């Protein structure tokens, strides 16, 4: 239960008890009237008094006890209070001992009247009734000395009643503000809790996404490695073995030697990629030299003239970037060997200020880049994998080709030098 609701229940309970007090006061006052009469104090005839008492009790019962829901109805409560004021004055007229009941009018002023001014007016009227009772009833006003006595009593009654009402009103306002503050605090707390829960949810979601992204990236990397290292090697071996069986005599030994060399190299490369090491050619040489080695090896193996041109000032790039460039060149050359039947291949490595580009041009069969078949068991992973690998280091790939007009492949990567990353 909220703090506000708890306070509200308590207030209602207190209000409930208060509603019995006036009946007790009415009963007690009535019990004293015969005693006062016996002592010779002035009073109206008993039946009249009894009638007024009954009407008063009925009035309270009807407007308050039986219809507590009317409390918030300003119009009804004004009628009730006005009637009560009249009845209290009547009772005091019956006997001044009803002064013991008259003060309960203060309670009803708080109950029935809303707003500070209305309450002050209500308790002031009640103060008149109370002072009248204290002065000895209406008949006392006949004598001048009693009138002075009444005026003094009225002054003090007004003072006390109004002061208490003002203090009460201030207290009410203060506790209402406090309740409001507590409520606001509770709302802020709830909002905070909600935000924290949401945060925890987001965090968990991010973790899952990060894990999934990691798995996806690693899968892509593995696929690239298998394609560039194992599949390329095996393709070369198959080509050499086929050539060997097609060539009779001692010439076949040359192809078998080439196949054996390819198998060894592929095995070594496969081991390196399992350990996530740099490709062997890059490990022992700078990118320019490693590329030169790859180009001359490819040229010798396939009998196709190939050359490497370097422009700009070569410099050491981040290992990941150099590896990507080397793999791009290897796959481009593998494609030339497999698909182009080219007469010549030229590779151009250009070091510029912000980017490094690698162009591979052949004068072979060419193809329609927009009609490349999807990835299948036959292959088709080369260009896709190349593009993905380049994408991972913020590089790009462009393929220009046309059937019969050769192929130009251009990769661009950011020129991030070793040591610049930090
Ligand atoms: N230099 C080229 N000359 C002619 N055609 C090419 C050249 N490079 C690529 N192609 C064409 O583009 C297609 C897609 O090449 P890609 O490297 O993606 O796959 P693949 O070489 O067929 O198979 P994989 O590389 O997966 O073993 C090739 O099948 C080929 O038709
Ligand atoms: Mg390929």
């Amino acid at each position: 239960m909220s703090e506000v609701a708890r306070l509200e229940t308590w207030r209602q309970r207190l209000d409930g008890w208060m509603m019995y007090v006036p009946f007790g006061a009415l009963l007690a006052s009535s019990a004293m009237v015969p005693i006062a009469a016996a002592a010779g104090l002035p009073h109206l005839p008993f039946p009249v008094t009894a009638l007024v008492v009954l009407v008063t009790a009925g009035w309270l019962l009807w407007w308050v006890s039986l219809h507590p829901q009317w409390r918030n109805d300003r119009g009804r409560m004004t009628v009730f209070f006005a009637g009560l004021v009249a009845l209290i004055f009547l009772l005091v007229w019956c006997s001044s001992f009803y002064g013991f009941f008259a003060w309960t009018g203060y309670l009803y002023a708080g109950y029935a009247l809303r707003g500070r001014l209305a309450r002050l007016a209500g308790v002031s009227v009640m103060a008149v009734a109370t002072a009248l009772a204290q002065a000895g009833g209406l008949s006392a006003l006949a004598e001048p000395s009693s009138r002075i006595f009444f005026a003094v009593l009225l002054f003090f009654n007004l003072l006390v009643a109004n002061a208490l009402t003002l203090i009460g009103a201030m207290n009410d306002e203060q506790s209402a503000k406090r309740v409001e503050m507590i409520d606001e605090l509770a709302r802020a707390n709830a909002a905070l809790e909600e935000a924290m829960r949401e945060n925890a949810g987001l965090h968990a979601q991010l973790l899952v996404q990060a894990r999934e992204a990691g798995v996806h990236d690693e899968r892509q990397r593995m696929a690239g490695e298998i394609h560039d290292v194992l599949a390329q090697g095996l393709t070369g071996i198959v080509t050499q073995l086929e050539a060997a069986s097609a060539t009779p005599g001692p010439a076949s030994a040359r192809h078998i030697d080439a196949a054996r060399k390819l198998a060894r190299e592929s095995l070594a490369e496969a081991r390196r990629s399992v350990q996530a090491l740099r490709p062997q050619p890059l490990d022992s040489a700078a990118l320019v030299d490693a590329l030169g080695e790859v180009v001359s090896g490819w040229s010798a193996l396939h009998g196709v003239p190939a050359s490497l041109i370097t422009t700009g000032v070569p410099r050491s790039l981040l290992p990941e970037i150099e590896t990507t460039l080397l793999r791009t060149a290897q796959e481009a050359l593998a494609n030339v060997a497999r698909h182009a039947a080219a007469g010549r291949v030229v590779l151009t490595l250009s070091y510029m200020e912000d980017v490094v580009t690698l162009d591979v041009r052949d004068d072979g069969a060419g193809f329609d880049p927009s009609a490349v078949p999807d990835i299948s068991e036959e292959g088709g992973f080369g260009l896709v994998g190349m593009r993905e690998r380049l994408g991972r280091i913020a590089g790009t790939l462009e393929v220009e080709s046309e059937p019969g007009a050769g192929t130009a492949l251009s990769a661009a990567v950011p020129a991030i030098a070793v040591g610049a990353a930090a």
Side-chain angles (χ1 to χ4, degrees):
M1 193 192 287
S2 87
E3 193 68 8
V4 186
R6 217 160 52 87
L7 282 174
E8 184 59 21
T9 356
W10 264 105
R11 204 179 58 81
Q12 278 169 5
R13 223 174 271 173
L14 207 66
D15 278 351
W17 294 334
M18 292 299 266
M19 291 304 105
Y20 294 108
V21 174
F23 291 103
L26 192 61
L27 208 68
S29 304
S30 301
M32 274 184 278
V33 171
I35 303 169
L41 288 170
H43 63 89
L44 291 190
F46 288 145
V48 177
T49 308
L51 184 69
V52 180
V53 167
L54 279 180
V55 171
T56 306
W59 190 257
L60 295 179
L61 211 63
W62 177 254
W63 289 94
V64 179
S65 311
L66 295 180
H67 298 102
Q69 72 275 20
W70 287 353
R71 184 179 182 170
N72 296 321
D73 185 332
R74 266 191 184 210
R76 280 202 168 102
M77 282 297 108
T78 311
V79 172
F80 157 69
F81 192 74
L84 184 68
V85 167
L87 286 166
I88 285 176
F89 273 95
L90 270 179
L91 283 169
V92 171
W93 187 26
C94 288
S95 163
S96 58
F97 271 73
Y98 281 102
F100 288 106
F101 171 72
W103 65 267
T104 62
Y106 293 130
L107 292 183
Y108 286 112
Y111 176 86
L113 303 177
R114 294 278 161 271
R116 203 182 282 193
L117 268 181
R119 275 189 193 170
L120 287 177
V123 298
S124 297
V125 177
M126 289 303 168
V128 176
T130 315
L132 209 56
Q134 288 161 351
L138 276 176
S139 54
L141 290 184
E143 292 162 41
S145 61
S146 307
R147 257 181 248 153
I148 294 172
F149 185 45
F150 167 72
V152 174
L153 282 172
L154 181 62
F155 172 75
F156 281 109
N157 272 294
L158 281 173
L159 192 74
V160 173
N162 281 294
L164 285 180
T165 304
L166 271 179
I167 291 171
M170 284 193 294
N171 266 346
D172 277 0
E173 272 166 31
Q174 236 174 30
S175 49
K177 256 183 218 155
R178 218 168 285 152
V179 162
E180 175 79 11
M181 257 160 62
I182 291 171
D183 231 28
E184 208 156 286
L185 212 66
R187 274 199 298 275
N189 260 343
L192 198 71
E193 258 172 45
E194 176 64 20
M196 274 164 76
R197 244 199 315 278
E198 233 166 69
N199 232 353
L202 272 178
H203 194 227
Q205 204 176 321
L206 271 180
L207 272 181
V208 170
Q209 276 173 3
R211 197 178 305 132
E212 276 170 6
V215 168
H216 177 78
D217 278 3
E218 184 54 16
R219 197 176 291 147
Q220 299 283 16
R221 192 188 75 82
M222 290 299 294
E225 293 290 279
I226 290 169
H227 174 272
D228 295 351
V229 176
L230 286 180
Q232 256 176 34
L234 288 172
T235 308
I237 293 165
V238 169
T239 313
Q240 293 303 319
L241 289 179
E242 277 170 358
S245 56
T247 329
S252 73
R254 196 167 54 84
H255 290 299
I256 290 175
D257 265 358
R260 189 181 296 127
K261 186 164 171 270
L262 270 177
R264 280 219 187 84
E265 281 171 8
S266 300
L267 187 61
E269 280 297 275
R271 289 216 174 97
R272 300 180 67 81
S273 82
V274 166
Q275 293 164 23
L277 293 175
R278 277 150 63 93
Q280 207 280 326
L282 266 180
D283 206 33
S284 51
L287 177 64
V288 177
D289 299 333
L291 269 179
E293 216 176 279
V294 165
V295 171
S296 59
W298 180 88
S299 180
L301 188 64
H302 297 284
V304 178
S307 55
L308 172 69
I309 300 168
T310 308
T311 69
V313 185
R315 51 194 186 271
S316 270
L317 304 174
L318 282 186
E320 183 63 19
I321 292 177
E322 294 200 334
T323 302
T324 303
L325 285 174
L326 186 82
R327 292 291 188 222
T328 302
Q330 282 174 324
E331 171 58 13
L333 286 173
N335 275 352
V336 174
R338 275 182 71 187
H339 311 295
R344 180 167 181 77
V345 186
V346 179
L347 287 86
T348 312
L349 182 65
S350 310
Y351 285 88
M352 285 165 266
E353 197 176 334
D354 296 327
V355 288
V356 176
T357 60
L358 172 71
D359 294 336
V360 184
R361 288 170 186 279
D362 69 66
D363 58 357
F367 67 106
D368 180 1
S370 64
V372 172
D374 283 344
I375 298 175
S376 68
E377 272 178 40
E378 305 291 303
F381 184 83
L383 292 177
V384 175
M386 214 186 266
R387 197 162 265 130
E388 266 172 12
R389 205 192 258 274
L390 283 160
R392 278 204 289 278
I393 55 161
T396 56
L397 178 73
E398 272 172 44
V399 182
E400 275 176 45
S401 185
E402 215 177 287
T407 301
L409 202 137
S410 179
V413 297
I416 305 172
V418 172

PDB file of all heavy atoms in Angstrom, residues 227 331 335-336 338-340 362 366-367 372 379-383 407, ligand 1:
ATOM      1  N   HIS A 227      38.320 -21.082 -48.172  1.00  0.00           N
ATOM      2  CA  HIS A 227      38.298 -20.819 -49.613  1.00  0.00           C
ATOM      3  C   HIS A 227      39.677 -20.419 -50.123  1.00  0.00           C
ATOM      4  O   HIS A 227      40.192 -20.991 -51.076  1.00  0.00           O
ATOM      5  CB  HIS A 227      37.290 -19.719 -49.934  1.00  0.00           C
ATOM      6  CG  HIS A 227      37.333 -19.300 -51.369  1.00  0.00           C
ATOM      7  ND1 HIS A 227      38.183 -18.317 -51.819  1.00  0.00           N
ATOM      8  CD2 HIS A 227      36.665 -19.745 -52.464  1.00  0.00           C
ATOM      9  CE1 HIS A 227      38.026 -18.176 -53.114  1.00  0.00           C
ATOM     10  NE2 HIS A 227      37.099 -19.035 -53.542  1.00  0.00           N
ATOM     11  N   GLU A 331      43.319 -14.504 -54.756  1.00  0.00           N
ATOM     12  CA  GLU A 331      42.049 -14.963 -55.319  1.00  0.00           C
ATOM     13  C   GLU A 331      41.855 -14.411 -56.736  1.00  0.00           C
ATOM     14  O   GLU A 331      41.362 -15.102 -57.623  1.00  0.00           O
ATOM     15  CB  GLU A 331      40.883 -14.549 -54.412  1.00  0.00           C
ATOM     16  CG  GLU A 331      39.485 -14.769 -54.996  1.00  0.00           C
ATOM     17  CD  GLU A 331      39.186 -16.225 -55.378  1.00  0.00           C
ATOM     18  OE1 GLU A 331      39.952 -17.130 -54.983  1.00  0.00           O
ATOM     19  OE2 GLU A 331      38.204 -16.454 -56.105  1.00  0.00           O
ATOM     20  N   ASN A 335      41.353 -16.703 -60.004  1.00  0.00           N
ATOM     21  CA  ASN A 335      40.242 -16.544 -60.943  1.00  0.00           C
ATOM     22  C   ASN A 335      40.753 -16.391 -62.379  1.00  0.00           C
ATOM     23  O   ASN A 335      40.165 -16.946 -63.307  1.00  0.00           O
ATOM     24  CB  ASN A 335      39.399 -15.319 -60.559  1.00  0.00           C
ATOM     25  CG  ASN A 335      38.366 -15.672 -59.509  1.00  0.00           C
ATOM     26  OD1 ASN A 335      38.181 -16.845 -59.181  1.00  0.00           O
ATOM     27  ND2 ASN A 335      37.703 -14.659 -58.964  1.00  0.00           N
ATOM     28  N   VAL A 336      41.854 -15.637 -62.528  1.00  0.00           N
ATOM     29  CA  VAL A 336      42.421 -15.475 -63.883  1.00  0.00           C
ATOM     30  C   VAL A 336      42.808 -16.850 -64.425  1.00  0.00           C
ATOM     31  O   VAL A 336      42.493 -17.206 -65.565  1.00  0.00           O
ATOM     32  CB  VAL A 336      43.629 -14.517 -63.874  1.00  0.00           C
ATOM     33  CG1 VAL A 336      44.282 -14.473 -65.257  1.00  0.00           C
ATOM     34  CG2 VAL A 336      43.201 -13.128 -63.436  1.00  0.00           C
ATOM     35  N   ARG A 338      41.663 -19.765 -63.527  1.00  0.00           N
ATOM     36  CA  ARG A 338      40.528 -20.674 -63.731  1.00  0.00           C
ATOM     37  C   ARG A 338      39.595 -20.243 -64.852  1.00  0.00           C
ATOM     38  O   ARG A 338      39.036 -21.073 -65.558  1.00  0.00           O
ATOM     39  CB  ARG A 338      39.702 -20.788 -62.441  1.00  0.00           C
ATOM     40  CG  ARG A 338      40.248 -21.815 -61.483  1.00  0.00           C
ATOM     41  CD  ARG A 338      39.357 -21.917 -60.266  1.00  0.00           C
ATOM     42  NE  ARG A 338      38.076 -22.557 -60.554  1.00  0.00           N
ATOM     43  CZ  ARG A 338      37.086 -22.635 -59.665  1.00  0.00           C
ATOM     44  NH1 ARG A 338      37.244 -22.077 -58.486  1.00  0.00           N
ATOM     45  NH2 ARG A 338      35.966 -23.244 -59.994  1.00  0.00           N
ATOM     46  N   HIS A 339      39.362 -18.930 -64.941  1.00  0.00           N
ATOM     47  CA  HIS A 339      38.276 -18.489 -65.827  1.00  0.00           C
ATOM     48  C   HIS A 339      38.712 -17.666 -67.037  1.00  0.00           C
ATOM     49  O   HIS A 339      37.967 -17.577 -68.004  1.00  0.00           O
ATOM     50  CB  HIS A 339      37.266 -17.642 -65.046  1.00  0.00           C
ATOM     51  CG  HIS A 339      36.811 -18.258 -63.766  1.00  0.00           C
ATOM     52  ND1 HIS A 339      36.078 -19.432 -63.711  1.00  0.00           N
ATOM     53  CD2 HIS A 339      36.994 -17.878 -62.471  1.00  0.00           C
ATOM     54  CE1 HIS A 339      35.814 -19.735 -62.451  1.00  0.00           C
ATOM     55  NE2 HIS A 339      36.371 -18.814 -61.672  1.00  0.00           N
ATOM     56  N   ALA A 340      39.917 -17.011 -66.970  1.00  0.00           N
ATOM     57  CA  ALA A 340      40.181 -15.972 -67.971  1.00  0.00           C
ATOM     58  C   ALA A 340      40.870 -16.454 -69.239  1.00  0.00           C
ATOM     59  O   ALA A 340      40.665 -15.888 -70.311  1.00  0.00           O
ATOM     60  CB  ALA A 340      40.988 -14.846 -67.334  1.00  0.00           C
ATOM     61  N   ASP A 362      43.478  -8.333 -66.351  1.00  0.00           N
ATOM     62  CA  ASP A 362      43.887  -9.386 -67.289  1.00  0.00           C
ATOM     63  C   ASP A 362      43.222  -9.115 -68.634  1.00  0.00           C
ATOM     64  O   ASP A 362      42.247  -8.373 -68.713  1.00  0.00           O
ATOM     65  CB  ASP A 362      43.531 -10.773 -66.738  1.00  0.00           C
ATOM     66  CG  ASP A 362      42.036 -11.017 -66.694  1.00  0.00           C
ATOM     67  OD1 ASP A 362      41.404 -11.093 -67.770  1.00  0.00           O
ATOM     68  OD2 ASP A 362      41.478 -11.132 -65.561  1.00  0.00           O
ATOM     69  N   GLY A 366      36.958 -12.348 -69.765  1.00  0.00           N
ATOM     70  CA  GLY A 366      36.013 -11.389 -69.188  1.00  0.00           C
ATOM     71  C   GLY A 366      34.688 -12.054 -68.844  1.00  0.00           C
ATOM     72  O   GLY A 366      34.455 -13.229 -69.161  1.00  0.00           O
ATOM     73  N   PHE A 367      33.793 -11.347 -68.170  1.00  0.00           N
ATOM     74  CA  PHE A 367      32.478 -11.891 -67.804  1.00  0.00           C
ATOM     75  C   PHE A 367      31.545 -10.732 -67.476  1.00  0.00           C
ATOM     76  O   PHE A 367      31.970  -9.579 -67.426  1.00  0.00           O
ATOM     77  CB  PHE A 367      32.605 -12.866 -66.621  1.00  0.00           C
ATOM     78  CG  PHE A 367      33.013 -12.206 -65.318  1.00  0.00           C
ATOM     79  CD1 PHE A 367      32.093 -12.015 -64.306  1.00  0.00           C
ATOM     80  CD2 PHE A 367      34.333 -11.779 -65.116  1.00  0.00           C
ATOM     81  CE1 PHE A 367      32.469 -11.412 -63.111  1.00  0.00           C
ATOM     82  CE2 PHE A 367      34.703 -11.177 -63.928  1.00  0.00           C
ATOM     83  CZ  PHE A 367      33.783 -10.994 -62.920  1.00  0.00           C
ATOM     84  N   VAL A 372      26.828 -12.878 -62.275  1.00  0.00           N
ATOM     85  CA  VAL A 372      27.618 -13.933 -61.613  1.00  0.00           C
ATOM     86  C   VAL A 372      26.659 -14.865 -60.873  1.00  0.00           C
ATOM     87  O   VAL A 372      25.793 -14.399 -60.128  1.00  0.00           O
ATOM     88  CB  VAL A 372      28.619 -13.294 -60.617  1.00  0.00           C
ATOM     89  CG1 VAL A 372      29.302 -14.364 -59.799  1.00  0.00           C
ATOM     90  CG2 VAL A 372      29.641 -12.459 -61.374  1.00  0.00           C
ATOM     91  N   GLY A 379      31.347 -23.353 -56.554  1.00  0.00           N
ATOM     92  CA  GLY A 379      32.172 -22.207 -56.172  1.00  0.00           C
ATOM     93  C   GLY A 379      31.326 -20.954 -56.122  1.00  0.00           C
ATOM     94  O   GLY A 379      30.155 -20.996 -55.745  1.00  0.00           O
ATOM     95  N   GLY A 380      31.943 -19.867 -56.524  1.00  0.00           N
ATOM     96  CA  GLY A 380      31.209 -18.602 -56.485  1.00  0.00           C
ATOM     97  C   GLY A 380      31.378 -17.875 -55.165  1.00  0.00           C
ATOM     98  O   GLY A 380      30.727 -16.880 -54.898  1.00  0.00           O
ATOM     99  N   PHE A 381      32.286 -18.377 -54.333  1.00  0.00           N
ATOM    100  CA  PHE A 381      32.509 -17.718 -53.041  1.00  0.00           C
ATOM    101  C   PHE A 381      33.610 -16.672 -53.146  1.00  0.00           C
ATOM    102  O   PHE A 381      33.685 -15.753 -52.343  1.00  0.00           O
ATOM    103  CB  PHE A 381      32.883 -18.771 -51.984  1.00  0.00           C
ATOM    104  CG  PHE A 381      33.027 -18.200 -50.616  1.00  0.00           C
ATOM    105  CD1 PHE A 381      31.913 -17.998 -49.805  1.00  0.00           C
ATOM    106  CD2 PHE A 381      34.283 -17.814 -50.128  1.00  0.00           C
ATOM    107  CE1 PHE A 381      32.046 -17.439 -48.558  1.00  0.00           C
ATOM    108  CE2 PHE A 381      34.411 -17.248 -48.876  1.00  0.00           C
ATOM    109  CZ  PHE A 381      33.289 -17.066 -48.084  1.00  0.00           C
ATOM    110  N   GLY A 382      34.460 -16.820 -54.168  1.00  0.00           N
ATOM    111  CA  GLY A 382      35.660 -15.975 -54.274  1.00  0.00           C
ATOM    112  C   GLY A 382      35.388 -14.493 -54.192  1.00  0.00           C
ATOM    113  O   GLY A 382      35.918 -13.804 -53.309  1.00  0.00           O
ATOM    114  N   LEU A 383      34.560 -13.959 -55.120  1.00  0.00           N
ATOM    115  CA  LEU A 383      34.317 -12.514 -55.155  1.00  0.00           C
ATOM    116  C   LEU A 383      33.555 -12.052 -53.916  1.00  0.00           C
ATOM    117  O   LEU A 383      33.868 -11.001 -53.344  1.00  0.00           O
ATOM    118  CB  LEU A 383      33.546 -12.135 -56.433  1.00  0.00           C
ATOM    119  CG  LEU A 383      34.344 -12.297 -57.740  1.00  0.00           C
ATOM    120  CD1 LEU A 383      33.477 -11.961 -58.944  1.00  0.00           C
ATOM    121  CD2 LEU A 383      35.590 -11.425 -57.738  1.00  0.00           C
ATOM    122  N   THR A 407      39.314  -8.370 -67.629  1.00  0.00           N
ATOM    123  CA  THR A 407      38.721  -8.042 -66.329  1.00  0.00           C
ATOM    124  C   THR A 407      39.659  -7.101 -65.571  1.00  0.00           C
ATOM    125  O   THR A 407      40.883  -7.290 -65.597  1.00  0.00           O
ATOM    126  CB  THR A 407      38.513  -9.333 -65.507  1.00  0.00           C
ATOM    127  OG1 THR A 407      37.649 -10.209 -66.250  1.00  0.00           O
ATOM    128  CG2 THR A 407      37.900  -9.041 -64.154  1.00  0.00           C
TER     129      THR A 407
HETATM  130  N1  LIG B   1      39.342 -12.808 -64.120  1.00  0.00           N
HETATM  131  C1  LIG B   1      38.171 -13.359 -64.540  1.00  0.00           C
HETATM  132  N2  LIG B   1      37.951 -13.626 -65.838  1.00  0.00           N
HETATM  133  C2  LIG B   1      36.803 -14.183 -66.245  1.00  0.00           C
HETATM  134  N3  LIG B   1      35.799 -14.523 -65.414  1.00  0.00           N
HETATM  135  C3  LIG B   1      35.955 -14.289 -64.121  1.00  0.00           C
HETATM  136  C4  LIG B   1      37.120 -13.705 -63.596  1.00  0.00           C
HETATM  137  N4  LIG B   1      36.986 -13.583 -62.249  1.00  0.00           N
HETATM  138  C5  LIG B   1      35.779 -14.073 -61.970  1.00  0.00           C
HETATM  139  N5  LIG B   1      35.143 -14.506 -63.064  1.00  0.00           N
HETATM  140  C6  LIG B   1      33.756 -15.008 -63.139  1.00  0.00           C
HETATM  141  O1  LIG B   1      33.099 -14.690 -61.950  1.00  0.00           O
HETATM  142  C7  LIG B   1      32.589 -15.837 -61.327  1.00  0.00           C
HETATM  143  C8  LIG B   1      32.653 -15.714 -59.843  1.00  0.00           C
HETATM  144  O2  LIG B   1      33.973 -15.796 -59.352  1.00  0.00           O
HETATM  145  P1  LIG B   1      34.250 -16.290 -57.925  1.00  0.00           P
HETATM  146  O3  LIG B   1      35.697 -16.171 -57.631  1.00  0.00           O
HETATM  147  O4  LIG B   1      33.316 -15.614 -57.038  1.00  0.00           O
HETATM  148  O5  LIG B   1      33.812 -17.795 -57.972  1.00  0.00           O
HETATM  149  P2  LIG B   1      34.579 -19.027 -58.628  1.00  0.00           P
HETATM  150  O6  LIG B   1      35.927 -18.611 -58.977  1.00  0.00           O
HETATM  151  O7  LIG B   1      33.710 -19.538 -59.711  1.00  0.00           O
HETATM  152  O8  LIG B   1      34.555 -20.085 -57.461  1.00  0.00           O
HETATM  153  P3  LIG B   1      35.441 -20.049 -56.141  1.00  0.00           P
HETATM  154  O9  LIG B   1      36.268 -18.814 -56.197  1.00  0.00           O
HETATM  155  O10 LIG B   1      34.432 -20.015 -55.066  1.00  0.00           O
HETATM  156  O11 LIG B   1      36.240 -21.274 -56.139  1.00  0.00           O
HETATM  157  C9  LIG B   1      33.386 -16.963 -61.867  1.00  0.00           C
HETATM  158  O12 LIG B   1      32.665 -18.164 -61.888  1.00  0.00           O
HETATM  159  C10 LIG B   1      33.713 -16.497 -63.260  1.00  0.00           C
HETATM  160  O13 LIG B   1      32.670 -16.801 -64.146  1.00  0.00           O
END
